[in-house]
Amino acid sequence: MKKNLLIALAVLMTLGVAAQKKTKQPPYTPAKKRVESHQQRLQMQQQSLVSNLEFKSTGPTIMSGRVVDLAVNPNDPTEFYAAYASGGLWHTTTNGISFNPVFDHEMVMTIGDIAVNWENNTIWIGTGENNSSRSSYSGVGMYKSTDGGNTWTHAGLEESHHIGRIVMHPTDPNTLWVAVLGHLYSPNKERGIYKTTDGGKTWQQTHFVNNNTGAIDLVIDTNNPNTLYAAMWHRERRAWNFVEAGEGSGIYKSTDGGNTWQLLTTAGSGFPTGDGVGRIGLTMSWGKTNSLYAIVDNQFRREKEAGQQSSDKKFKEELKTMSKADFLALEDRKINTYLKENAFPEKYNAKGVKKMVEKGKILPVALVDYTIDANSLLFDTPVIGAEVYRSDDGGATWKKTHKEPLDDLFYSYGYYFGQIRVAPHNRDKVYIVGVPILRSDDGGKTFKSINGENVHVDHHGLWVNPKKPGHLINGNDGGVNISYDDGETWFKANTPAVGQFYTVNVDMAKPYRVYGGLQDNGVWAGPSNYEHNRGWHDEGKYPYKRLLGGDGMQVEIDARDNNTVYTGYQFGHYFRVNQKSGEQTYIKPTHELGERPLRFNWQTPIHLSRHNQDILYFGSNKFHRSMNQGDDWETLSDDLTKGGRKGDVAYGTLTSITESPKKFGLLYVGSDDGLIHRSKDGGNTWQKLSDKLPQDMWVSRIVASAHDEATVYASLNGYRWDDFTPYLYVSTDYGTNWQRIGTSLPYEPINVVKEDPVNENILYIGTDHGIYVSLDKGQSFMTMDSKLPAAPVHDLVVHPRDHDLIVGTHGRSVFIANVHHLQQLNDKLMSKALHAFELDKITHSKRWGESWGKWYDAYQPNANIAFFAKKAGTTTIHIKTNEGTIINTLTNESEAGLNYFEYALTVDPSKVEAYAQDLNKSKEEQEEQVEKAADGNHYLLPGNYKVELVQGTEKVEVVLEVAAK
């Protein structure tokens, strides 16, 4: 689940967070620069030498990814659009049995809301997710399609970043209103309510509160389109803190078509007001009533009630102020129970702890401090949380619908939820979504969970059929679910590969397996040769297997057995997993009782030493090493960050660890607050290296070179400042001095940099919008496959044996491309006008051209002819016998760079006789027959052939071997 932490300041102080010098807010990247960068990206695609390198989507699909909105055809609900937070827009006409992507190659893929005019086939997309999570990407405004998503036009509002809702006028297709949430990590004035009356050509900002308050929801009275209601939300997010409520939050009403707005939620209205009002969701009954519902994330603190706290919580409160004498007087049994319930290491018991207190080594409050970490506070809910209110007089007055608290719905992260729906046919049937999804049949007085089997627990979108009671389509962190019995049972519609991977890695099995950690969908592993199909429905075995739950994080695999895996979930909760037995051993390093708690990043870094795979490195705010596979830990450093900051998000943590493949014990670490340190002695001593680099940026990756001991690469990420500058650096003297590289890259934050293991000049980087490759150590870059969707790329790994580049995207699952030919591109090869790469051997089959029956396609072979051309032009491809006879001639319109041509191993019908003569020239026995296959083709028989490529006056030749079976 999405876990940003909201905890009381008193609790935060117990973390012992060091005070930091106030950081000046860096300037955000203007939208104009981002728009220009998209044009730069398109130009780089046209000029790329590797744009023909083909990536294949290898899934997985079963766990899906975050759906933020749905638009359903009211006349035919088997047709609908599903909008994914970072996976684009998908269209189905088969009730979710199959989907097609329709928004893959625009400036961004992140979506906040969609609206469809089903009468004229017009789609509106508001880009920029309407949630405010760690991976809620920034959009660039509005897009419009008038042909069902085949083509798109950018329609303004570039500086909006995040869009909460789009509302179309019920009769005027040129009029619509947009709730603009605004920047996530920086204040801006381009937020609020916008209106267009000319189909998006121009926009008017009709409502604005302040630079930190944006519009999150918007509804229209379909009986009177001049009446609209808007929910405004004050929120401020930084890397270390999230203010998710404020005075600016509230509900507004317009009675003149959205031109002017009046605040409804004033003191005395019955609705919460003040700085504790967080995100608000709205819905309106479609009947002839003024019934309006709102769900609010109420961040005001709860009043403590007698008997409200558990005995454990009560004891914790007592420990915070307990004297030494009172603690020593406690029963051992009570202390031991507390230690056990809070998972203290076995070395701590009542007698030992009392001795520590008696000698003054610790205070009783240390027993509370020890238990505090980011994950333990996720479900600490000192706030009121989710509340549902109803108005039956057009928003003039409000009344809370329920007496009992709606616990276990928003927890402490209501910023991630806030949707409410009312059934069009019944104003008393209300649905609210969070963790889980709840339904009320009595106007919100009572609720029940309808989070059944097959349904993820985090919900963001819901469509309620206005014509068929009980028909629901739900969008959540696990994809799309559909119900026809009002949520009692659901089926899953998860065919798109839209997983949100944080990390990927590979083992050395044959075929190798791909591992990855996903946002809110755990850690999975599956075969690299997997291709998406539905055959597993019959077999009952999905090829990918879940290794762990939670939010899946980094994965390391012991190459000695391809079985031992180190992985975990958010905030450093890692395990050693035996894939064969399923045994899981918890291996998180811990601090000593009396020490300040360690701080762990959401995606805590680990690194398995390539020199000795019993050695595992682990990063909190300090550096830890285990010499025995995580069973025991040594803390080898002091704090390697700036010391943390007061706030409700874990910060001041390590984000990246690397060890030189060339030298054992040469280590580098990077932090979320911009520090890079180096150790040359296995982690015992550290030197800071980042003073001359841009300050306070997130170190997204640091990579020690496998080719040169002194070389190290680092990428910095300004996303959490709304700074989209591509910060990429190289050092050739162990990090002492840094040189900026990749300065011609578009303005896209860099998430990962990887060095090619074969060609020392090749660098790959993954940004928020794709993959780029350099053939000259980062001095210049080009895009890779232009057909890849423009999804965020979070991780990359190159398989050292199989020459595959594995791409972990945050929104489109995993892609794989073989980069063996790319790895061969060097100055010598690229100086040639034409170069043909060695061809793979092909084994002959008598089944070529045959099929299983008249209803099946024929089985046809294929040889992939790969070549490099210095210039674009027509390339003629001659297939020759060993005797030199041409038996087929083909042409290819080649591009400058890598080219791939598929040859079906056929003989030109006019050349069959000459081919047969060549085959039998050296034969003394019965002549070889060149027979026609069932599909009418003549295929090559076993033997060696020559493939000659001709471009202008240039000729190159390569051997094609067809081996006998």
Side-chain angles (χ1 to χ4, degrees):
M1 301 167 218
K2 285 11 64 171
K3 299 111 180 160
N4 196 59
L5 318 171
L6 184 65
I7 52 179
L9 183 59
V11 176
L12 286 168
M13 293 299 289
T14 67
L15 286 168
V17 178
Q20 277 195 346
K21 184 179 179 181
K22 187 174 180 180
T23 303
K24 183 180 178 182
Q25 174 97 24
Y28 64 80
T29 301
K32 181 181 178 182
K33 234 182 223 319
R34 298 177 66 199
V35 173
E36 291 171 351
S37 277
H38 177 59
Q39 297 304 316
Q40 182 184 353
R41 191 198 318 166
L42 295 178
Q43 186 176 3
M44 291 175 74
Q45 288 176 355
Q46 295 174 353
Q47 298 173 348
S48 175
L49 299 178
V50 297
S51 60
N52 290 322
L53 195 66
E54 184 179 359
F55 286 81
K56 64 175 183 177
S57 173
T58 61
T61 64
I62 192 170
M63 72 290 291
S64 196
R66 185 160 69 248
V67 175
V68 293
D69 196 27
L70 300 154
V72 185
N73 186 340
N75 298 315
D76 178 11
T78 63
E79 179 185 14
F80 61 88
Y81 292 90
Y84 289 81
S86 55
L89 183 67
W90 293 73
H91 181 221
T92 179
T93 57
T94 60
N95 204 31
I97 295 174
S98 61
F99 287 85
N100 291 309
V102 295
F103 191 69
D104 274 10
H105 303 292
E106 305 308 318
M107 276 186 269
V108 297
M109 288 187 66
T110 175
I111 298 177
D113 195 52
I114 57 174
V116 178
N117 186 323
W118 295 97
E119 293 182 0
N120 62 17
N121 208 25
T122 297
I123 309 170
W124 292 92
I125 290 181
T127 61
E129 184 181 357
N130 56 21
N131 296 312
S132 299
S133 186
R134 291 168 176 81
S135 56
S136 294
Y137 290 96
S138 300
V140 288
M142 296 290 292
Y143 275 88
K144 178 182 180 180
S145 173
T146 57
D147 55 10
N150 290 316
T151 59
W152 294 92
T153 301
H154 186 241
L157 302 183
E158 293 90 347
E159 206 65 78
S160 57
H161 276 213
H162 298 273
I163 288 177
R165 188 73 69 203
I166 304 167
V167 169
M168 299 184 299
H169 193 285
T171 58
D172 179 4
N174 288 317
T175 297
L176 64 151
W177 301 264
V178 177
V180 171
L181 191 52
H183 295 191
L184 178 56
Y185 286 98
S186 57
N188 73 305
K189 65 182 186 300
E190 299 88 355
R191 58 177 86 209
I193 303 297
Y194 285 80
K195 180 181 179 179
T196 181
T197 56
D198 56 12
K201 294 177 183 176
T202 60
W203 296 89
Q204 180 185 0
Q205 185 185 38
T206 64
H207 185 53
F208 172 77
V209 176
N210 60 51
N211 283 359
N212 288 308
T213 301
I216 183 60
D217 211 348
L218 189 63
V219 293
I220 190 170
D221 185 340
T222 54
N223 298 308
N224 180 7
N226 282 324
T227 300
L228 297 100
Y229 300 88
M232 306 300 290
W233 178 24
H234 180 109
R235 73 166 183 3
E236 303 172 52
R237 182 154 196 164
R238 300 294 181 268
W240 60 89
N241 190 45
F242 191 10
V243 177
E244 55 187 289
E247 293 277 357
S249 300
I251 301 173
Y252 289 75
K253 181 178 183 178
S254 174
T255 56
D256 58 4
N259 294 323
T260 61
W261 297 85
Q262 178 185 358
L263 178 64
L264 296 176
T265 51
T266 57
S269 67
F271 197 89
T273 60
D275 60 8
V277 180
R279 179 171 175 169
I280 300 169
L282 299 173
T283 191
M284 191 172 186
S285 172
W286 292 4
K288 295 180 180 180
T289 71
N290 265 335
S291 293
L292 188 70
Y293 285 94
I295 187 168
V296 59
D297 175 28
N298 191 329
Q299 289 291 305
F300 284 109
R301 302 292 161 183
R302 294 190 182 192
E303 293 183 7
K304 291 185 178 180
E305 298 177 8
Q308 185 180 24
Q309 288 184 324
S310 67
S311 58
D312 182 70
K313 285 187 177 180
K314 286 180 180 178
F315 189 44
K316 280 186 177 179
E317 291 299 318
E318 294 168 359
L319 285 170
K320 289 178 183 178
T321 56
M322 187 176 289
S323 69
K324 175 179 177 179
D326 288 344
F327 182 82
L328 295 176
L330 290 173
E331 295 182 5
D332 286 0
R333 176 183 56 80
K334 187 170 185 176
I335 298 174
N336 283 328
T337 299
Y338 174 84
L339 296 173
K340 183 176 181 180
E341 289 180 350
N342 287 278
F344 277 69
E346 292 183 2
K347 65 182 179 180
Y348 295 117
N349 56 47
K351 287 184 172 56
V353 171
K354 280 185 173 181
K355 284 184 180 179
M356 295 175 73
V357 172
E358 186 177 15
K359 293 179 180 180
K361 291 184 177 180
I362 62 170
L363 296 172
V365 71
L367 293 174
V368 180
D369 292 348
Y370 189 88
T371 66
I372 294 175
D373 63 46
N375 207 56
S376 72
L377 296 166
L378 293 177
F379 300 98
D380 182 318
T381 54
V383 298
I384 293 171
E387 292 183 312
V388 174
Y389 288 82
R390 174 170 166 169
S391 173
D392 290 315
D393 55 9
T397 60
W398 298 83
K399 185 177 180 180
K400 190 164 72 170
T401 65
H402 49 96
K403 293 182 180 179
E404 298 298 321
L406 293 175
D407 288 337
D408 300 337
L409 180 68
F410 282 3
Y411 296 93
S412 295
Y413 41 97
Y415 68 90
Y416 195 65
F417 306 108
Q419 305 287 346
I420 183 169
R421 302 288 184 269
V422 60
H425 56 278
N426 181 354
R427 66 174 179 169
D428 289 328
K429 188 179 285 292
V430 182
Y431 306 85
I432 55 178
V433 300
V435 182
I437 179 171
L438 305 180
R439 188 189 78 212
S440 173
D441 299 323
D442 55 12
K445 294 177 182 177
T446 61
F447 287 88
K448 65 170 287 187
S449 172
I450 54 172
N451 216 112
E453 297 174 340
N454 276 333
V455 185
H456 201 285
V457 292
D458 292 29
H459 301 273
H460 308 286
L462 182 69
W463 178 79
V464 184
N465 193 329
K467 298 179 180 180
K468 185 178 177 61
H471 179 198
L472 309 173
I473 304 180
N474 171 236
N476 52 58
D477 272 19
V480 176
N481 290 94
I482 303 175
S483 174
Y484 286 94
D485 55 11
D486 219 11
E488 297 300 318
T489 57
W490 300 84
F491 73 85
K492 192 182 290 289
N494 277 8
T495 54
V498 287
Q500 294 180 299
F501 277 80
Y502 282 116
T503 64
V504 288
N505 210 340
V506 294
D507 64 16
M508 297 300 290
K510 292 185 179 181
Y512 68 87
R513 287 169 290 189
V514 177
Y515 300 76
L518 295 100
Q519 162 66 29
D520 210 17
N521 279 288
V523 179
W524 293 72
S528 56
N529 58 359
Y530 167 68
E531 293 186 11
H532 171 61
N533 66 76
R534 297 181 180 89
W536 69 273
H537 290 188
D538 272 345
E539 299 165 3
K541 294 182 180 180
Y542 192 74
Y544 271 76
K545 303 299 179 187
R546 187 197 292 268
L547 299 182
L548 211 64
D551 289 85
M553 295 301 160
Q554 296 192 5
V555 186
E556 290 284 328
I557 310 99
D558 192 326
R560 297 172 298 186
D561 61 10
N562 298 313
N563 174 60
T564 303
V565 176
Y566 303 88
T567 189
Y569 59 86
Q570 65 274 7
F571 299 124
H573 292 277
Y574 276 75
F575 298 79
R576 184 178 66 244
V577 179
N578 185 310
Q579 293 189 84
K580 291 180 180 177
S581 68
E583 181 184 3
Q584 298 179 358
T585 304
Y586 190 59
I587 59 168
K588 183 180 182 180
T590 59
H591 57 292
E592 296 295 326
L593 186 57
E595 293 181 344
R596 297 294 187 190
L598 298 169
R599 298 188 300 275
F600 294 90
N601 192 265
W602 172 259
Q603 188 189 140
T604 296
I606 59 173
H607 184 84
L608 190 63
S609 176
R610 301 304 183 260
H611 303 282
N612 180 344
Q613 295 196 30
D614 286 333
I615 299 176
L616 181 66
Y617 304 117
F618 203 113
S620 59
N621 56 309
K622 302 179 180 180
F623 180 82
H624 312 274
R625 181 183 68 192
S626 173
M627 304 292 284
N628 55 4
Q629 301 183 307
D631 285 337
D632 301 290
W633 292 98
E634 302 170 89
T635 299
L636 298 182
S637 76
D638 293 327
D639 197 331
L640 294 174
T641 76
K642 293 183 179 180
R645 297 188 67 150
K646 292 178 181 178
D648 53 24
V649 182
Y651 187 69
T653 64
L654 296 184
T655 54
S656 184
I657 300 173
T658 186
E659 182 182 35
S660 170
K662 303 286 286 184
K663 183 179 181 181
F664 174 68
L666 175 56
L667 298 154
Y668 300 87
V669 298
S671 72
D672 56 11
D673 53 9
L675 299 189
I676 294 175
H677 285 84
R678 178 194 66 215
S679 174
K680 291 186 174 182
D681 57 8
N684 290 295
T685 60
W686 294 87
Q687 181 180 356
K688 189 167 66 167
L689 307 172
S690 49
D691 286 345
K692 295 182 181 179
L693 292 173
Q695 296 299 292
D696 302 306
M697 297 296 167
W698 193 285
V699 181
S700 58
R701 203 61 56 102
I702 187 159
V703 177
S705 172
H707 301 286
D708 176 61
E709 182 184 309
T711 296
V712 59
Y713 298 93
S715 59
L716 312 181
N717 190 305
Y719 159 78
R720 291 160 187 84
W721 298 109
D722 287 327
D723 178 357
F724 299 91
T725 307
Y727 295 109
L728 185 63
Y729 296 86
V730 64
S731 171
T732 55
D733 57 5
Y734 300 94
T736 302
N737 297 286
W738 295 94
Q739 175 193 353
R740 188 172 174 195
I741 55 177
T743 53
S744 62
L745 285 165
Y747 274 75
E748 300 171 7
I750 298 176
N751 301 311
V752 57
V753 54
K754 282 293 173 74
E755 183 189 54
D756 189 88
V758 174
N759 187 330
E760 64 178 345
N761 293 315
I762 294 179
L763 283 181
Y764 308 92
I765 66 164
T767 75
D768 281 356
H769 301 300
I771 314 172
Y772 298 84
V773 62
S774 172
L775 304 179
D776 53 13
K777 294 188 176 181
Q779 298 307 307
S780 63
F781 278 89
M782 62 188 78
T783 60
M784 298 192 75
D785 186 350
S786 59
K787 294 181 286 295
L788 272 174
V793 174
H794 264 239
D795 204 7
L796 300 166
V797 61
V798 184
H799 199 281
R801 181 192 66 217
D802 291 11
H803 307 286
D804 282 347
L805 173 65
I806 298 89
V807 182
T809 74
H810 200 78
R812 292 300 283 268
S813 291
V814 177
F815 289 85
I816 297 179
N818 188 275
V819 292
H820 187 45
H821 301 130
L822 170 62
Q823 290 172 330
Q824 298 175 56
L825 296 184
N826 54 36
D827 290 343
K828 182 179 179 181
L829 186 151
M830 291 188 293
S831 67
K832 298 178 182 178
L834 203 60
H835 174 84
F837 294 99
E838 183 179 339
L839 296 175
D840 293 334
K841 180 174 67 175
I842 294 177
T843 302
H844 183 268
S845 171
K846 293 182 178 180
R847 284 191 52 236
W848 289 353
E850 306 289 334
S851 69
W852 293 107
K854 63 183 292 186
W855 308 115
Y856 299 92
D857 293 334
Y859 170 52
Q860 296 179 325
N862 177 62
N864 197 8
I865 299 171
F867 60 97
F868 175 87
K870 193 169 187 178
K871 297 179 180 179
T874 300
T875 301
T876 301
I877 303 165
H878 297 300
I879 311 299
K880 298 180 178 181
T881 66
N882 238 2
E883 303 293 326
T885 302
I886 296 175
I887 56 175
N888 211 336
T889 298
L890 310 148
T891 59
N892 175 259
E893 293 305 316
S894 309
E895 298 175 9
L898 290 177
N899 292 272
Y900 295 91
F901 181 80
E902 293 186 353
Y903 168 47
L905 275 67
T906 58
V907 179
D908 186 310
S910 66
K911 305 292 185 181
V912 171
E913 186 175 341
Y915 175 45
Q917 290 177 359
D918 273 10
L919 286 177
N920 292 299
K921 275 183 181 178
S922 60
K923 290 186 177 291
E924 298 178 358
E925 302 175 2
Q926 184 179 354
E927 291 188 354
E928 189 86 53
Q929 298 296 313
V930 185
E931 297 179 350
K932 184 184 292 187
D935 66 353
N937 288 318
H938 295 85
Y939 290 98
L940 298 184
L941 294 172
N944 286 342
Y945 301 86
K946 298 174 183 177
V947 177
E948 182 185 65
L949 289 84
V950 182
Q951 190 185 70
T953 59
E954 300 294 330
K955 292 182 181 180
V956 292
E957 197 171 78
V958 66
V959 174
L960 170 62
E961 180 184 356
V962 178
K965 192 169 184 179

